[in-house]
Amino acid sequence: MLDRSILETAGEGIVSLDARGSLTYVNPAAAELLGALPKDLLGRDARDFWVQSNCYPQVDNWSKLPIQQIMDGDIQLSSGTAAFKRSDDTQFPVEFLARPLIVSSSLKGIVLTFHDITEKLEGRRALEESESQFRELSENSLVGVYVIQEDIFTYVNPRLAEIFGYKREEIIGKMGPLDLSSPESRTGVKTNVEKRISGEVESIHYMIRGLRKDGTKIDVELFGNRSLYHGTPGVIGTLLDITSRIDAEGQIQYQAYYDTLTGLPNRRLFNDRLDHALKTADRQDQKLALLCLDLDRFKQVNDSLGHETGDALLRSVCARIQNTIHDNDTLARLGGDELAIVLERIEGVEMAAAISAQVLALFEKPFDVGPHKLFIAASMGISIYPEDGETGANLVKHADAAMYTAKKQGGAAYEFYRPAMTASSAEWLELETALRRAVEQKQLRLYFQPQVDLRSGKIIGAEALVRWLHPDKGLISPIKFIPIAEATGQIVEVGDWVIKEACRHLRNWQADGLTIEQLAINLSGVQVVRGDVVDSLRQAIEETGIDPSMLELEITENSIMEYTEDVQGVLLSLRNLGVSLAIDDFGTGYSSLSYLKQLPIDKLKIDRSFVMGIPEDTSDIAIIKAVISLGNVLGLEIVAEGVEKPSQRNIILENGCHIGQGYLFSPPLPAEEFTDFVRKNRLTDDTSGH
Ligand code: C2E
Ligand code: MG
Ligand code: MG
């Protein structure tokens, strides 16, 4: 038997009916639902409130009171939806359950439980209304709208189909989100759809690359929301084609990270890549090499052939390097003619050296730049991670220092970083900056070192040697600043100053009645290839009115060899001005005899390093002998540099070299002291009776 208190307090309406359908029990909830008191309901026929309704069109099937079927034993249980009428004649929908009422084993009637489903039906109606609103909105929407259920699009709007180049019916019910994603975006799309369906995230906003029917890729931005559609869960989302926006952003991104001249990564992107490469190297316990590369004398190309040619040369240099290095390695332009290469997964120093040599070899062939075939060399510095630095900044700094060392030693070479370099490269930079002012602020000085006839001791000439009187550092040796001036192109200005100054002194001495038969001026190879040196010299000679035969130009053997292509013509033009030519530091380079023969030279200066070795070093004596006899064969005069001891003078003289220069006679002297020295020499000369 039913427990009465349960019935009385139940939230559901519960009534019992006898076999004829009259109410025999009504619980309070039922009475309330029916809008009457229980006592007024008892005995009434259930069919009084059980109506056939059509008030909710979404209900297809309104049940009849199933009392007959249950009493007949046809069914044991019946459930369904019915419409009940309240005592005020208003209707409300219910879901009901009808069961037989059995008392003492005999069927006495039925028990009916029911509850009001107005809200449920209203909700469904609201949903349907909202669905139709959704459709109306989305059908005309300018953005793509989609519904995904169980990995299939169950709805897409016309705009979405248009974005992807399909007909709607080709998508709906047939395709899933992965079919509209390009391969690289598929994993992302898959996990995002799963996340939303599983409820891990309610909504999501992201970008993917989409795939159109014609195979083209587009950038789309989507916003998806977990939702119910037709009462079942799915994802409803909107989608925008942002390809043109991405293109514009890409353009901006490109400009921020790439060098527009060469298309290479710029310093910013290079730093990013280097950082990334360092992390990888660290994780995988691997080495990495950083190469800094700077073109030698690039400034001259710009100055003499114009910036457009310079730019084109740079582009073709970069292209050549790019073709040589591994795809994974980064070539970047850090600025000007400064390039850097990150070599990942380097096994050791040897491998870095091999690649550097390969890059350097690229400069052996000329670069085609418009109508020009240009030769240019490069200096490279290498630092290795982790030995030479743990951070990108340090590696760059150290590779740079190594590069400057290579440049100082004449360029066209690579150098590995050594800790001692950092100090000197900082100094180099400082000097480079200060040197820009040195000429205009009159900080350069010309010193003169006498050249002596070894037989008579008579001064027959002098060599002009430049010094830099730095306001803080004092006198700086040309050994220190000439290579800087050469590397930066400032040598042209310095060299022009030296030529003018030397000519001016010659004229002044002449005016003072002091005859210096010959003054030698050092020329840098850089000055020679530039070609203007001929003009500068002609101008200085004309302005001072000196006899050009009083001038001798010294050019080192190494620079002659380095610039073989252009040097010969210039030397000829210089010679045509009436000056004589000497090869300086002879013996330190690799000039061939046949080549020497072709040059319009007058004199060889035996390098100091050979003189230094005598009398002890017999091979130095042999070399000196060889140079002297070579000079004799070619009809060239020979000068020995760096004569410090009488024994050296004697040996040189014995072997047929008649001119010497060195501390034995005098160090280089400032102009005043030099003229005093010459006067004294003439005096002793006169008293000695020559
Ligand atoms: P260089 O032309 O071979 O000049 C000779 C160098 O040897 C000078 O050094 C001179 O001071 C030094 N010297 C001379 N006699 C002796 C000696 O007995 N013992 C020793 N130990 N040294 C001696 P400096 O003046 O320092 O010049 C060094 C180099 O700098 C020059 O070598 C030359 O290549 C370059 N240089 C100097 N002045 C100029 C210049 O006006 N233009 C260019 N382009 N280069 C210059
Ligand atoms: Mg010299
Ligand atoms: Mg020399």
Short mmCIF file of all heavy atoms in Angstrom, two decimals, residues 566-591:
data_model
loop_
_atom_site.label_atom_id
_atom_site.label_comp_id
_atom_site.label_asym_id
_atom_site.label_seq_id
_atom_site.Cartn_x
_atom_site.Cartn_y
_atom_site.Cartn_z
N ASP A 566 94.97 45.99 -61.01
CA ASP A 566 94.90 47.41 -61.30
C ASP A 566 96.21 48.15 -61.12
O ASP A 566 96.38 49.28 -61.57
CB ASP A 566 93.89 48.09 -60.36
CG ASP A 566 92.82 47.14 -59.91
OD1 ASP A 566 93.16 46.18 -59.17
OD2 ASP A 566 91.67 47.35 -60.28
N VAL A 567 97.16 47.49 -60.44
CA VAL A 567 98.30 48.26 -59.95
C VAL A 567 99.25 48.69 -61.08
O VAL A 567 99.81 49.77 -61.05
CB VAL A 567 99.02 47.46 -58.83
CG1 VAL A 567 100.17 46.65 -59.38
CG2 VAL A 567 99.48 48.39 -57.74
N GLN A 568 99.37 47.84 -62.07
CA GLN A 568 100.38 48.09 -63.08
C GLN A 568 100.16 49.41 -63.84
O GLN A 568 101.07 50.21 -64.00
CB GLN A 568 100.40 46.93 -64.07
CG GLN A 568 101.71 46.83 -64.80
CD GLN A 568 101.87 45.47 -65.46
OE1 GLN A 568 101.17 44.52 -65.09
NE2 GLN A 568 102.75 45.37 -66.42
N GLY A 569 98.92 49.62 -64.22
CA GLY A 569 98.58 50.85 -64.95
C GLY A 569 98.87 52.09 -64.13
O GLY A 569 99.41 53.08 -64.63
N VAL A 570 98.49 52.02 -62.84
CA VAL A 570 98.69 53.18 -61.98
C VAL A 570 100.18 53.48 -61.81
O VAL A 570 100.61 54.63 -61.88
CB VAL A 570 98.04 52.96 -60.59
CG1 VAL A 570 98.21 54.18 -59.71
CG2 VAL A 570 96.57 52.62 -60.75
N LEU A 571 100.95 52.41 -61.61
CA LEU A 571 102.39 52.61 -61.43
C LEU A 571 102.99 53.28 -62.68
O LEU A 571 103.82 54.17 -62.56
CB LEU A 571 103.09 51.28 -61.15
CG LEU A 571 102.76 50.63 -59.80
CD1 LEU A 571 103.63 49.40 -59.57
CD2 LEU A 571 102.92 51.61 -58.64
N LEU A 572 102.49 52.87 -63.82
CA LEU A 572 102.98 53.48 -65.07
C LEU A 572 102.65 54.97 -65.11
O LEU A 572 103.51 55.81 -65.44
CB LEU A 572 102.38 52.78 -66.27
CG LEU A 572 103.26 51.67 -66.89
CD1 LEU A 572 102.49 50.94 -67.98
CD2 LEU A 572 104.56 52.27 -67.45
N SER A 573 101.42 55.31 -64.77
CA SER A 573 101.02 56.72 -64.78
C SER A 573 101.85 57.53 -63.80
O SER A 573 102.23 58.67 -64.08
CB SER A 573 99.54 56.89 -64.41
OG SER A 573 98.77 55.92 -65.02
N LEU A 574 102.12 56.91 -62.63
CA LEU A 574 102.93 57.62 -61.64
C LEU A 574 104.33 57.87 -62.20
O LEU A 574 104.89 58.97 -62.09
CB LEU A 574 103.03 56.80 -60.34
CG LEU A 574 101.76 56.72 -59.50
CD1 LEU A 574 101.93 55.71 -58.37
CD2 LEU A 574 101.42 58.10 -58.91
N ARG A 575 104.83 56.82 -62.77
CA ARG A 575 106.18 56.90 -63.35
C ARG A 575 106.23 57.99 -64.43
O ARG A 575 107.21 58.74 -64.54
CB ARG A 575 106.49 55.53 -63.92
CG ARG A 575 107.90 55.23 -64.31
CD ARG A 575 108.90 55.45 -63.20
NE ARG A 575 110.25 55.27 -63.72
CZ ARG A 575 110.71 54.16 -64.27
NH1 ARG A 575 109.93 53.10 -64.36
NH2 ARG A 575 111.93 54.10 -64.74
N ASN A 576 105.12 58.10 -65.20
CA ASN A 576 105.06 59.11 -66.26
C ASN A 576 105.06 60.54 -65.72
O ASN A 576 105.35 61.48 -66.44
CB ASN A 576 103.84 58.90 -67.14
CG ASN A 576 104.01 57.66 -68.02
OD1 ASN A 576 105.16 57.24 -68.27
ND2 ASN A 576 102.92 57.09 -68.48
N LEU A 577 104.70 60.65 -64.44
CA LEU A 577 104.77 61.98 -63.83
C LEU A 577 106.22 62.39 -63.59
O LEU A 577 106.50 63.54 -63.25
CB LEU A 577 104.01 62.01 -62.49
CG LEU A 577 102.48 61.95 -62.52
CD1 LEU A 577 101.95 61.96 -61.09
CD2 LEU A 577 101.94 63.15 -63.28
N GLY A 578 107.09 61.40 -63.65
CA GLY A 578 108.50 61.72 -63.45
C GLY A 578 109.04 61.29 -62.10
O GLY A 578 110.20 61.55 -61.78
N VAL A 579 108.22 60.64 -61.30
CA VAL A 579 108.70 60.18 -59.99
C VAL A 579 109.31 58.78 -60.16
O VAL A 579 109.06 58.11 -61.16
CB VAL A 579 107.56 60.13 -58.94
CG1 VAL A 579 106.92 61.50 -58.79
CG2 VAL A 579 106.52 59.08 -59.32
N SER A 580 110.12 58.36 -59.17
CA SER A 580 110.64 57.00 -59.25
C SER A 580 109.88 56.11 -58.26
O SER A 580 109.20 56.59 -57.36
CB SER A 580 112.15 56.96 -59.02
OG SER A 580 112.44 57.45 -57.74
N LEU A 581 109.99 54.80 -58.47
CA LEU A 581 109.20 53.85 -57.69
C LEU A 581 110.09 52.83 -57.00
O LEU A 581 111.06 52.35 -57.58
CB LEU A 581 108.22 53.11 -58.61
CG LEU A 581 107.19 53.96 -59.36
CD1 LEU A 581 106.39 53.08 -60.32
CD2 LEU A 581 106.25 54.65 -58.38
N ALA A 582 109.72 52.51 -55.77
CA ALA A 582 110.47 51.50 -55.03
C ALA A 582 109.52 50.44 -54.49
O ALA A 582 108.37 50.75 -54.17
CB ALA A 582 111.22 52.16 -53.88
N ILE A 583 110.00 49.21 -54.43
CA ILE A 583 109.19 48.18 -53.76
C ILE A 583 109.69 48.06 -52.33
O ILE A 583 110.88 47.81 -52.09
CB ILE A 583 109.30 46.83 -54.49
CG1 ILE A 583 108.64 46.97 -55.87
CG2 ILE A 583 108.59 45.75 -53.68
CD1 ILE A 583 108.55 45.68 -56.63
N ASP A 584 108.75 48.28 -51.41
CA ASP A 584 109.06 48.29 -49.98
C ASP A 584 108.92 46.88 -49.41
O ASP A 584 108.20 46.05 -49.96
CB ASP A 584 108.05 49.23 -49.29
CG ASP A 584 108.57 49.77 -47.97
OD1 ASP A 584 109.65 49.32 -47.53
OD2 ASP A 584 107.90 50.65 -47.41
N ASP A 585 109.58 46.64 -48.30
CA ASP A 585 109.48 45.37 -47.58
C ASP A 585 109.72 44.19 -48.51
O ASP A 585 109.05 43.16 -48.42
CB ASP A 585 108.10 45.23 -46.92
CG ASP A 585 107.79 46.36 -45.95
OD1 ASP A 585 108.74 47.10 -45.60
OD2 ASP A 585 106.63 46.51 -45.55
N PHE A 586 110.68 44.36 -49.40
CA PHE A 586 110.90 43.32 -50.39
C PHE A 586 111.40 42.04 -49.73
O PHE A 586 112.24 42.06 -48.83
CB PHE A 586 111.90 43.78 -51.47
CG PHE A 586 111.98 42.84 -52.62
CD1 PHE A 586 110.97 42.80 -53.57
CD2 PHE A 586 113.05 41.94 -52.74
CE1 PHE A 586 111.01 41.90 -54.62
CE2 PHE A 586 113.10 41.04 -53.79
CZ PHE A 586 112.08 41.02 -54.73
N GLY A 587 110.87 40.92 -50.21
CA GLY A 587 111.25 39.62 -49.64
C GLY A 587 110.18 39.03 -48.74
O GLY A 587 110.20 37.86 -48.42
N THR A 588 109.21 39.87 -48.35
CA THR A 588 108.17 39.36 -47.45
C THR A 588 106.97 38.84 -48.23
O THR A 588 106.11 38.18 -47.68
CB THR A 588 107.68 40.45 -46.47
OG1 THR A 588 107.24 41.57 -47.25
CG2 THR A 588 108.80 40.91 -45.56
N GLY A 589 106.90 39.18 -49.50
CA GLY A 589 105.74 38.74 -50.29
C GLY A 589 106.12 37.60 -51.21
O GLY A 589 107.10 36.89 -50.97
N TYR A 590 105.32 37.39 -52.20
CA TYR A 590 105.56 36.27 -53.09
C TYR A 590 105.60 36.71 -54.54
O TYR A 590 105.01 36.09 -55.40
CB TYR A 590 104.44 35.23 -52.93
CG TYR A 590 104.33 34.68 -51.54
CD1 TYR A 590 103.44 35.23 -50.63
CD2 TYR A 590 105.14 33.62 -51.15
CE1 TYR A 590 103.35 34.74 -49.34
CE2 TYR A 590 105.05 33.12 -49.86
CZ TYR A 590 104.16 33.69 -48.96
OH TYR A 590 104.07 33.19 -47.70
N SER A 591 106.25 37.83 -54.80
CA SER A 591 106.22 38.29 -56.19
C SER A 591 107.12 37.41 -57.06
O SER A 591 108.19 36.97 -56.65
CB SER A 591 106.64 39.75 -56.29
OG SER A 591 107.76 39.97 -55.48
#
